[in-house]
Amino acid sequence: MPITEAESSTPNNLPANYETKTELDLFHHSQPPPIHTLPPELLHLVLLPFAGDYRRLLRFRLVCKYWVEVINSTPGLWIFVSNQFHPEFQAMVIRNSGNHLLEVEYDATWWEEDPESKEKSAAFSRLIEPSASRWQALTYYRTEDSESGTWPLSLPLHNLKRIEIDGSTWNAQRPTLDAPKLSHVDVRLPSVNLRSLCGLQSLTLESTNSTLDELMTILRVSPGLHTLSLTRTLLENGTEGLPSPYTNKIHLPRLRYLYISGALAESSSFLLNWIEAPSLEVFKAKVHAPNDAADHTHICQAASRYTGAFHFLKTKRLKSTSESKLDDVVWYWGTDH
């Protein structure tokens, strides 16, 4: 059929339909997709589960300019800063975090082989030190030659709740922490003044030279403690011998987990006899007793308060070393859930 005839048979309202369809297409095409127009409050809820997940947040910033503005202006998304980040990104995190609480990682081993380690360490210190009162968690790894020394531990950490310290080497400097809200402590090798700690909920000590009296001092002022883990911490008596008898036992009504590994039998029995932990669920212990000890009843009785009987998991004899002329008998017992 010739075109002219087809056109002549077209309904009279078809041009109007075409015009209306075209206008609707133009209207919908001019409107941004719904994802670009989410209210800020709703977009916050979408993004908050990814707080600190910078790989995803940086991808989300590619959606559109509006998302960039919302992400950059939401302090709750910028909660973690590390010296392993690029300096420009470190500054971006500090700037966008506003007054929000921060989790800080300072790993001095990251620059161990870097010839510019001193300059980079100093730059990172200058950047984050003004925000010290906003730190809620600190992970600090130092090296033997770390230029920072105990720098981050001497700052006013008034909102700090969790701290993890790996000294990497024995350190004579042990600053007193200015952290009144501190509740979770994980220390490897001597790093802080333990007597300054109080109100703890979790305490983990590994390879520290803490004395029994220091530990008892912490426990007396930490009734809310729920986890106590001592690994390769002998709990020696020091030059003053065992602590003076206490008037009252130390009550730890919330203690659920107790782990002792590598402590002296005499100190361990003293500790176990002087704490009351009615809510204890998991108890594991491995203590050293000299092979020539005539009577192990004291440590067994102390442990039996938590195991319900003289329940040994196993016994192992350690051969003498050049430092010790006597063999050690290592006792393992406890509840194993």
Side-chain angles (χ1 to χ4, degrees):
M1 182 182 295
I3 296 177
T4 54
E5 294 182 11
E7 291 175 348
S8 65
S9 64
T10 302
N12 294 332
N13 65 340
L14 187 58
N17 289 340
Y18 277 155
E19 184 179 356
T20 303
K21 182 180 180 181
T22 302
E23 290 177 351
L24 289 174
D25 287 344
L26 291 174
F27 173 77
H28 289 303
H29 182 73
S30 64
Q31 298 301 307
I35 196 172
H36 297 299
T37 58
L38 289 175
E41 298 80 6
L42 183 57
L43 187 52
H44 289 167
L45 295 177
V46 173
L47 295 172
L48 280 178
F50 304 101
D53 186 351
Y54 297 131
R55 289 185 180 274
R56 295 192 179 185
L57 288 177
L58 292 178
R59 291 175 182 172
F60 292 153
R61 292 172 82 251
L62 300 176
V63 172
C64 64
K65 183 179 179 181
Y66 171 62
W67 277 48
V68 172
E69 294 173 351
V70 172
I71 291 174
N72 287 353
S73 61
T74 306
L77 297 176
W78 306 88
I79 60 173
F80 175 69
V81 63
S82 170
N83 68 311
Q84 298 183 22
F85 295 164
H86 188 279
E88 292 183 6
F89 190 70
Q90 295 170 4
M92 181 179 180
V93 172
I94 295 297
R95 180 176 63 253
N96 291 347
S97 66
N99 293 320
H100 201 276
L101 297 178
L102 286 169
E103 298 178 10
V104 178
E105 179 186 58
Y106 188 12
D107 185 358
T109 65
W110 181 252
W111 296 313
E112 204 164 8
E113 304 298 330
D114 193 329
E116 299 180 355
S117 60
K118 293 182 180 180
E119 293 77 9
K120 292 182 178 180
S121 176
F124 183 70
S125 301
R126 288 193 301 269
L127 175 67
I128 66 171
E129 183 169 339
S131 66
S133 61
R134 296 194 286 123
W135 300 0
Q136 66 174 346
L138 171 62
T139 302
Y140 176 42
Y141 303 101
R142 70 179 302 273
T143 62
E144 184 175 359
D145 299 324
S146 176
E147 292 293 326
S148 62
T150 59
W151 161 76
L153 306 179
S154 59
L155 297 175
L157 306 172
H158 296 162
N159 279 295
L160 193 70
K161 295 180 180 179
R162 295 176 177 270
I163 190 168
E164 179 182 350
I165 308 172
D166 189 342
S168 298
T169 183
W170 292 80
N171 184 12
Q173 294 179 317
R174 300 177 196 175
T176 298
L177 293 176
D178 183 9
K181 296 183 179 180
L182 190 62
S183 59
H184 294 73
V185 175
D186 186 340
V187 175
R188 284 180 288 278
L189 294 177
S191 303
V192 296
N193 178 7
L194 294 177
R195 291 182 181 273
S196 65
L197 304 179
C198 65
L200 301 184
Q201 297 179 24
S202 175
L203 177 61
T204 299
L205 301 178
E206 180 178 342
S207 300
T208 69
N209 60 350
S210 309
T211 66
L212 178 60
D213 191 54
E214 285 177 327
L215 178 62
M216 300 292 277
T217 299
I218 297 173
L219 297 182
R220 279 184 290 177
V221 292
S222 300
L225 193 74
H226 59 70
T227 299
L228 176 60
S229 177
L230 309 171
T231 303
R232 292 190 294 276
T233 296
L234 292 177
L235 297 178
E236 294 179 316
N237 303 327
T239 58
E240 302 173 354
L242 287 172
S244 301
Y246 300 138
T247 304
N248 299 310
K249 288 194 173 185
I250 300 174
H251 292 272
L252 302 173
R254 298 183 180 181
L255 189 65
R256 297 288 191 276
Y257 181 87
L258 175 59
Y259 178 69
I260 303 174
S261 174
L264 297 175
E266 184 181 27
S267 300
S268 298
S269 61
F270 187 93
L271 172 65
L272 295 174
N273 278 324
W274 277 97
I275 63 173
E276 292 288 349
S279 301
L280 195 64
E281 296 177 355
V282 177
F283 168 59
K284 298 180 181 181
K286 179 181 74 173
V287 301
H288 292 273
N291 189 36
D292 63 343
D295 190 358
H296 299 295
T297 303
H298 191 52
I299 181 60
C300 292
Q301 287 179 335
S304 69
R305 296 180 61 237
Y306 299 100
T307 61
F310 295 169
H311 176 60
F312 295 98
L313 298 180
K314 58 181 178 178
T315 304
K316 179 180 180 181
R317 186 181 303 278
L318 298 182
K319 294 183 178 180
S320 60
T321 62
S322 57
E323 291 82 9
S324 175
K325 297 182 179 179
L326 296 176
D327 290 352
D328 277 351
V329 176
V330 183
W331 307 79
Y332 298 82
W333 67 91
T335 55
D336 194 356
H337 293 186

